[in-house]
């Protein structure tokens, strides 16, 4: 029998609350490397490669690990900023 993560039922069609930036890093004046979006509420946080790791903190406090990477498409990324058109892919 194939295992299905019970959290998959929580995935909703959400939009990023802060497209292109980590809302917690912006509030703290910090920089990020990559972004992830929660697929249940749309919160955008920085990934584990970033100093603050806000996406991981959100996953731990929310009790779910359902996120997608947010990456610029066709444009080089600069630390602390996402430049260009944004696209999503599953982590």
């Amino acid at each position: 029998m194939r295992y299905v993560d019970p959290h998959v039922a929580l995935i909703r069609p959400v939009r990023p609350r802060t497209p292109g930036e980590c809302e917690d890093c912006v509030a703290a004046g910090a920089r990020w490397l990559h972004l992830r979006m929660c697929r249940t509420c749309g919160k955008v946080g920085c990934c584990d490669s970033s100093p603050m790791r806000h996406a991981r903190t959100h996953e731990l406090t929310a009790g779910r690990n359902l996120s997608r990477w947010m990456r610029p498409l066709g444009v080089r990324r600069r630390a602390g900023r996402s430049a260009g058109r944004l696209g999503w892919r599953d982590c």
Side-chain angles (χ1 to χ4, degrees):
M1 190 164 109
R2 189 172 155 220
Y3 172 76
V4 177
D5 187 328
H7 294 111
V8 171
L10 299 173
I11 295 174
R12 302 194 187 323
V14 295
R15 291 183 178 215
R17 295 191 325 207
T18 54
E21 54 191 24
C22 171
E23 61 186 271
D24 296 319
C25 282
V26 170
R31 293 182 163 258
W32 59 87
L33 294 176
H34 302 286
L35 299 172
R36 295 191 333 211
M37 180 187 73
C38 178
R39 296 173 76 184
T40 60
C41 71
K43 179 177 176 77
V44 176
C46 54
C47 72
D48 289 349
S49 298
S50 300
M52 305 299 282
R53 300 178 181 175
H54 289 120
R56 172 74 57 192
T57 302
H58 177 69
E59 291 168 1
L60 293 173
T61 57
R64 57 188 177 263
N65 183 8
L66 296 167
S67 60
R68 298 186 89 180
W69 283 8
M70 186 163 93
R71 302 180 68 156
L73 299 175
V75 179
R76 286 191 123 172
R77 174 191 47 78
R78 296 187 314 238
R81 289 193 180 159
S82 294
R85 208 173 80 232
L86 298 174
W88 295 95
R89 76 179 178 97
D90 290 325
C91 300

